[in-house]
């Protein structure tokens, strides 16, 4: 379609103006205020406070460790399911049903999904009752309002993202590559380890980065399932903005959370560039 | 290959267990919402619709649901009005600074929702519209636009450009071409994107919570505040209703564009 320069300017004007006014400018305002002291002068005092106070460092560590646990768990649960959906399910209707099952939870709020675990994990909740009935435990395990419940709840919430990003890649892999590996005498193990899995890595990486980022910034799930006993960064951000009303320090915590959320992404990019460079130095084509 | 490692039925069994893990919590909520007891119980004690009746009579939640529906509807229309033209340009035009423009539209996907929430509050506070309907609205539109653009661009990608060229060669002007040729072709994708955007608003807490007040509170935020103090079957009933809505929307999107395509891009 020939739109022309004026058409382009005309059509883009409103959306660009809107995003600049209500997305870019507000974000800039947060970054600026995180670098100011109460008098409005430039200062790094807020950031120094975050990195020198053990309370904030502990919250930072809690946040990162929960996010790492959830990333690993969603991979262990999500990869096999994605593989199953991509290669084992032949019936089109059944495949569609599975996609509906995976996607529907994403369309319900985190409040609802976190709340369902309150019913399941309580002292007299279903999980404890079941384990007692099976005689696996003698008395109820403390499953709720601690790190365990946050990890279980977040894993449940993040699982669809991992499944979908791995399934998207596996769905489009050329199955003839697998057949070729088998024809050349590779066993099922070797075929998976040397062909299928490496081909699906982009899906695993994008799924893992997405899950990690979303976990670091998750607010609803940790605050419902921690019972106030564990503190993560997002809860501290909320506290500063909603109860303490110290916007400037809240902004600093928000920027710190943002940096933390991208830690894994940045590390991955650095590792990838390093890998490509080393391959080039060894005279191999970078992939 | 993986199934051989697990043994032939191992992978299937493991997959079914994970599917159960995905379905079970929502099923528990729905079951618990039908309990006849006055406290949350799973398995439910007896069967009754009394908690749904209580929900229908709860003015606070009905009011919050109205606010959510109004907010999601207006925000969706606004996001479509901004996102569809932007997607059209990004899919069809080359111009200097295009990568910067598309980064501006896609960034809200990358930025944590809670950061977007606090930035809207702080900015609205500076300009004097904090904790109003407008603050909620612009926050929601910002997080919807990337989804609308993505789904619209995906539908445009599957559309051969020569149809539009032919229309223009036959004398249709740009508006006629867009409204008579392009839009009807991409309609399912655009509607699916709109439904997706609607749901994003309908379930959002992180962006809304900072600009909510006691009177102006969307339903997920209302529910979030409620369960800090009460855990009763009423929560299960509200949750169950939101699950029914989610199912309805997923089926709609499936009918429009196919859920597997929509979900895996």
């Amino acid at each position: 379609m020939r739109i022309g320069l004026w058409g382009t300017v005309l059509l883009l004007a409103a959306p660009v103006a809107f995003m600049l006014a209500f997305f870019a400018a507000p974000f800039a305002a947060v970054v600026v205020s995180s670098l100011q002291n109460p008098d409005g002068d430039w200062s790094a005092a807020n950031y120094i406070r975050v990195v020198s106070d053990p309370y904030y460092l502990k919250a930072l560590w809690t946040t990162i460790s929960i996010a790492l646990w959830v990333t690993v768990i969603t991979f262990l649960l999500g990869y096999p399911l994605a593989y199953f959906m991509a290669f084992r399910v032949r019936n089109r209707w059944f495949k569609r049903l599975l996609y509906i099952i995976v996607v529907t939870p994403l369309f319900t709020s985190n409040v609802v999904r976190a709340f369902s675990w309150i019913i399941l994990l309580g002292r007299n909740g279903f999980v404890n009752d079941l384990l007692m009935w099976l005689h696996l435990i003698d008395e109820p395990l403390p499953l709720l309002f601690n790190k365990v419940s946050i990890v279980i709840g977040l894993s449940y919430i993040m699982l669809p993202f991992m499944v979908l990003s791995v399934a998207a890649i596996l769905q489009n892999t050329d199955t003839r590559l697998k057949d070729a590996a088998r024809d050349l005498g590779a066993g099922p193990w070797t075929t998976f380890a040397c062909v299928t899995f490496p081909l699906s890595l982009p899906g695993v990486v994008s799924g893992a980065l997405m899950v990690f980022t979303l976990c670091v910034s998750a607010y609803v799930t940790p605050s419902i399932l921690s019972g106030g006993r564990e503190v993560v960064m997002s809860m501290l951000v909320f506290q500063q903005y909603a109860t303490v009303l110290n916007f400037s320090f809240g902004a600093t915590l928000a920027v710190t959370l943002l940096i933390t959320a991208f830690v894994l992404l940045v590390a991955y990019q650095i590792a990838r560039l390093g890998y490509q460079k080393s391959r080039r130095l060894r005279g191999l084509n970078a992939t | 290959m993986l199934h051989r490692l697990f043994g032939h039925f191992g992978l299937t069994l493991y997959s079914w267990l994970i599917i159960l893990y995905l379905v079970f919590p929502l099923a528990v909520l729905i079951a618990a919402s039908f309990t006849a007891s006055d406290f949350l119980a799973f398995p439910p004690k007896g069967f009754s619709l009394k908690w749904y009746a209580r929900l229908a009579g709860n003015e606070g939640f009905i009011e919050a649901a109205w606010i959510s529906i109004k907010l999601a509807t207006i925000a969706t229309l606004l996001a479509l009005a901004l996102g569809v033209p932007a997607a059209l340009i990004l899919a069809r035009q080359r111009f200097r600074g295009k990568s910067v423009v598309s980064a501006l539209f896609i960034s809200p996907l990358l930025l944590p929702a809670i950061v977007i929430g606090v930035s809207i509050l702080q900015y609205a506070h500076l300009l004097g519209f904090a904790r109003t309907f407008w603050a909620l609205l612009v926050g929601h539109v910002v997080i919807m636009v990337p989804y609308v653009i993505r789904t619209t661009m995906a539908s445009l990608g599957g559309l051969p450009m020569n149809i539009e060229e032919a229309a223009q060669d036959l004398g249709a002007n740009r508006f006629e071409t867009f409204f008579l040729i392009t839009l009807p072709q991409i309609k399912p994708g655009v509607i699916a994107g709109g439904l997706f955007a609607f749901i994003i608003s309908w379930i959002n807490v992180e962006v809304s919570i900072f600009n909510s007040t006691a009177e102006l509170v969307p339903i997920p935020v209302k529910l979030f505040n409620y369960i800090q103090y009460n855990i009763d079957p009423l929560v299960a009933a509200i949750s169950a209703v939101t699950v029914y809505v989610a199912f309805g929307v997923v089926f709609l999107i499936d009918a429009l564009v196919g859920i597997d395509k929509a979900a895996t891009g």
Side-chain angles (χ1 to χ4, degrees):
Chain A
M1 181 157 164
R2 296 181 293 264
I3 300 173
L5 178 65
W6 283 112
T8 303
V9 171
L10 200 71
L11 287 177
L12 274 182
V16 168
F18 185 92
M19 294 307 271
L20 284 175
F22 298 113
F23 171 66
F27 180 61
V30 166
V31 176
V32 167
S33 88
S34 77
L35 287 161
Q36 283 176 333
N37 64 15
D39 305 331
D41 302 319
W42 293 108
S43 114
N46 281 337
Y47 286 94
I48 292 164
R49 183 176 157 193
V50 172
V51 295
S52 60
D53 188 332
Y55 178 71
Y56 297 116
L57 291 176
K58 184 171 178 291
L60 206 55
W61 171 240
T62 306
T63 308
I64 293 173
S65 68
I66 287 172
L68 286 173
W69 270 111
V70 174
T71 308
V72 171
I73 290 170
T74 48
F75 168 71
L76 293 176
L77 298 177
Y79 195 97
L81 181 59
Y83 187 97
F84 177 76
M85 285 164 74
F87 297 133
R88 294 297 301 283
V89 180
R90 293 270 172 266
N91 181 321
R92 244 191 84 245
W93 289 106
F94 182 46
K95 187 175 264 193
R96 251 182 139 150
L97 178 70
L98 284 183
Y99 270 106
I100 287 173
I101 287 172
V102 173
V103 173
T104 303
L106 291 177
F107 284 43
T108 59
S109 89
N110 291 346
V111 180
V112 168
R113 287 188 282 165
F115 177 74
S116 65
W117 288 98
I118 289 186
I119 307 178
L120 288 166
L121 297 174
R123 228 188 118 70
N124 303 317
F126 179 78
V127 174
N128 269 323
D129 283 356
L130 184 72
L131 293 174
M132 306 258 282
W133 182 73
L134 291 170
H135 292 291
L136 290 170
I137 51 172
D138 295 330
E139 49 186 68
L141 295 168
L143 296 171
L144 191 57
F145 301 140
N146 51 31
K147 244 178 166 162
V148 176
S149 57
I150 300 176
V151 170
I152 293 174
L154 276 174
S155 299
Y156 167 62
I157 283 171
M158 300 301 168
L159 186 57
F161 293 115
M162 182 64 91
V163 174
L164 293 174
S165 77
V166 175
I169 301 275
L170 287 177
Q171 208 68 275
N172 299 322
T173 49
D174 192 340
T175 45
R176 286 175 309 180
L177 291 166
K178 273 176 23 179
D179 299 340
R182 299 305 302 268
D183 290 343
L184 293 168
W189 255 121
T190 318
T191 308
F192 177 71
C194 300
V195 180
T196 315
F197 188 70
L199 283 173
S200 65
L201 263 180
V204 175
V205 168
S206 72
L209 291 173
M210 194 164 167
V211 169
F212 183 85
T213 307
L214 287 169
C215 281
V216 166
S217 55
Y219 167 69
V220 170
T221 317
S223 54
I224 290 176
L225 293 174
S226 71
R229 287 179 213 169
E230 290 283 344
V231 177
V232 295
M233 288 298 288
S234 58
M235 289 157 81
L236 295 175
V237 172
F238 181 80
Q239 213 175 43
Q240 291 295 329
Y241 273 98
T243 48
V244 183
L245 297 179
N246 183 345
F247 283 12
S248 167
F249 189 58
T252 306
L253 289 171
V255 173
T256 310
L257 181 144
L258 182 67
I259 294 167
T260 313
F262 289 131
V263 156
L264 213 57
L265 182 68
V266 172
Y268 167 72
Q269 293 292 4
I270 290 170
R272 209 180 59 147
L273 290 172
Y275 173 73
Q276 284 179 352
K277 202 169 159 184
S278 76
R279 281 181 69 98
R280 267 201 302 278
L281 290 174
R282 284 181 290 144
L284 296 159
N285 283 331
T287 45
Chain B
M1 308 304 115
L2 210 57
H3 53 275
R4 294 282 171 93
L5 327 177
F6 277 103
H8 199 72
F9 295 107
L11 176 67
T12 310
L13 181 69
Y14 188 71
S15 300
W16 276 107
L17 283 173
I18 299 163
I19 291 163
L20 190 69
Y21 174 65
L22 279 168
V23 173
F24 197 62
L26 297 184
V28 165
L29 281 176
I30 292 171
S33 70
F34 291 109
T35 189
S37 60
D38 286 339
F39 51 88
L40 262 180
F42 183 83
K45 309 235 182 304
F47 176 90
S48 92
L49 292 173
K50 72 174 182 184
W51 292 103
Y52 287 90
R54 261 212 224 155
L55 175 58
N58 186 311
E59 274 176 29
F61 277 112
I62 299 294
E63 178 61 26
W66 268 121
I67 290 170
S68 267
I69 289 170
K70 256 193 312 210
L71 183 62
T73 307
I74 299 170
T76 301
L77 293 173
L78 208 56
L80 287 171
L82 295 168
V84 174
L88 197 67
I89 298 291
L90 291 175
R92 294 275 190 265
Q93 289 286 344
R94 291 217 181 104
F95 56 93
R96 232 181 311 167
K98 183 173 165 176
S99 59
V100 178
V101 172
S102 72
L104 177 70
F105 290 132
I106 302 300
S107 301
L109 268 184
L110 300 173
L111 217 59
I114 190 166
V115 176
I116 294 176
V118 300
S119 67
I120 300 274
L121 169 64
Q122 199 158 0
Y123 183 70
H125 193 80
L126 288 173
L127 299 179
F129 68 100
R131 298 186 188 85
T132 62
F133 185 79
W134 300 108
L136 289 173
L137 184 69
V138 294
H140 282 214
V141 174
V142 162
I143 55 171
M144 285 178 180
V145 163
Y147 288 98
V148 171
I149 287 183
R150 266 192 5 187
T151 50
T152 310
M153 279 178 79
S155 333
L156 285 166
L159 186 70
M161 278 174 72
N162 49 16
I163 303 182
E164 294 169 349
E165 301 280 344
Q168 289 189 309
D169 289 342
L170 293 168
N173 68 31
R174 287 172 206 158
F175 289 100
E176 287 168 334
T177 308
F178 177 72
F179 284 105
L180 299 174
I181 307 293
T182 314
L183 198 58
Q185 297 264 8
I186 60 169
K187 203 162 89 181
V190 172
I191 295 173
L195 281 169
F196 211 70
F198 186 94
I199 280 287
I200 287 168
S201 164
W202 174 252
I203 69 176
N204 183 281
V205 175
E206 281 90 349
V207 175
S208 308
I209 196 165
F210 294 98
N211 279 297
S212 297
T213 64
E215 291 77 40
L216 179 76
V217 54
I219 199 158
V221 179
K222 173 102 185 164
L223 189 62
F224 178 70
N225 294 336
Y226 183 85
I227 61 176
Q228 317 272 351
Y229 307 103
N230 323 276
I231 290 182
D232 56 24
L234 185 67
V235 181
I238 297 161
S239 302
V241 170
T242 63
V243 177
Y244 307 147
V245 172
F247 259 118
V249 172
V250 170
F251 276 109
L252 266 175
I253 291 179
D254 187 40
L256 281 164
V257 289
I259 198 73
D260 42 351
K261 284 187 199 63
T264 53

